[in-house]
Amino acid sequence: MLLLVCVFYITKKGGRVQSPFSVDGLFFLSICPLKKVVIVLYVLDWICTNMTTVMESQLRNLISDSNRFLKCLQHYLKHSTEIQTMQDFIDNLLLDIMAKTVNGKSNLNVIGVGSGTGEHDLQMFSTLHHKYPEMTVDNEVIEPNPKQLRDYKDLVSQTPGLDYIKFNWNKMTAEEFEEQWKDENRTKKADLIHMFQDPGATISFFKSLLNKNGQLLITLVSENFGLVKMHNAYRNQLGTVYLSSGDIKIFLDSKGVSYRSYYLPNEVDITKCFIEGDEEGELMIDFLTDVLDFSKTASPELKAGVMEFLGCPEFSVKSSGKVLLNANYEMIVIEQLT
């Protein structure tokens, strides 16, 4: 039996959730644009690094208001190319990456950690089903956000032709999943683990779940993403540290772990962030800074610094009257050869 573990490193921006994320014992605050989290390749709302959580900020984190967070997330996704980027990945790269893992298997055991509302999970399963129509899927959904889990269930109930998939629903975090797995002494092995930004997961734990030829897919914002530098520059004020693909690669290199990486282009229209008092602009600013009511609560100095970062030519471009922020992702693939 084949176990496919999809771990969404979902932090709270569609991936960012300000919650400690650990890399083999090191805990961090994950902040990545993408919490819908999308695709069962998930990983984490934004996955490992050696940064520590910053607790000095007096500003309220956006995740403290779940309704506002979800509204900001939907706005972010609407004005970014993230959904299309993940769809392109599924259409053009997924089958090649999974060929050796899936070929000849009759069943995929899938674990999606931080699966969000499930759109990309179902798109991935559809692509696999088209290629391997006789293969069934056992999909263990791990999602801590109750509304997103409900939306996922609703999506499944409204989508025909999913009789080849068995869904098991779990409202919990990646960290809780790890604890439960160990407490129950479970011995299942995974053939695919996808983390699309999910705080709380450790690379060593999920890698230990891989079967021979199993693959761990870790999707994070690129190390060149401007918000990574912005959050690190203002970590004391914003109270967050942005994790990136570069942090993962440094960790893996230090452990001598081989990997492949795939560049996933993404951009976000942040034009209205520069219009003072604009409601949509404030939704985007809250999401990008990870701060609830940023424009109303941040100091003038902090607001000026953040806007300077967002408008910096190194991180955004002006095109046809719009300001487009570079929000690229990178997928890191680790294969279990033994």
Side-chain angles (χ1 to χ4, degrees), residues 4 94-103 108 128 192 215:
L4 172 67
L94 180 65
L95 290 178
D96 288 341
I97 290 175
M98 293 186 61
K100 185 163 64 172
T101 300
V102 177
N103 193 33
L108 283 178
L128 291 171
L192 177 66
Q215 305 206 52

Side-chain angles (χ1 to χ4, degrees), residues 24 204 250-257:
D24 292 341
S204 289
I250 290 173
F251 171 78
L252 295 175
D253 288 341
S254 72
K255 299 295 184 180
V257 177

Side-chain angles (χ1 to χ4, degrees), residues 225-234 270 274 302-316 325:
F225 184 24
L227 288 189
V228 175
K229 296 184 179 181
M230 184 188 79
H231 276 268
N232 289 340
Y234 293 105
I270 60 171
F274 297 90
L302 178 57
K303 285 190 284 188
V306 165
M307 298 311 298
E308 183 177 356
F309 257 99
L310 293 180
C312 176
E314 182 181 357
F315 307 128
S316 61
L325 179 69

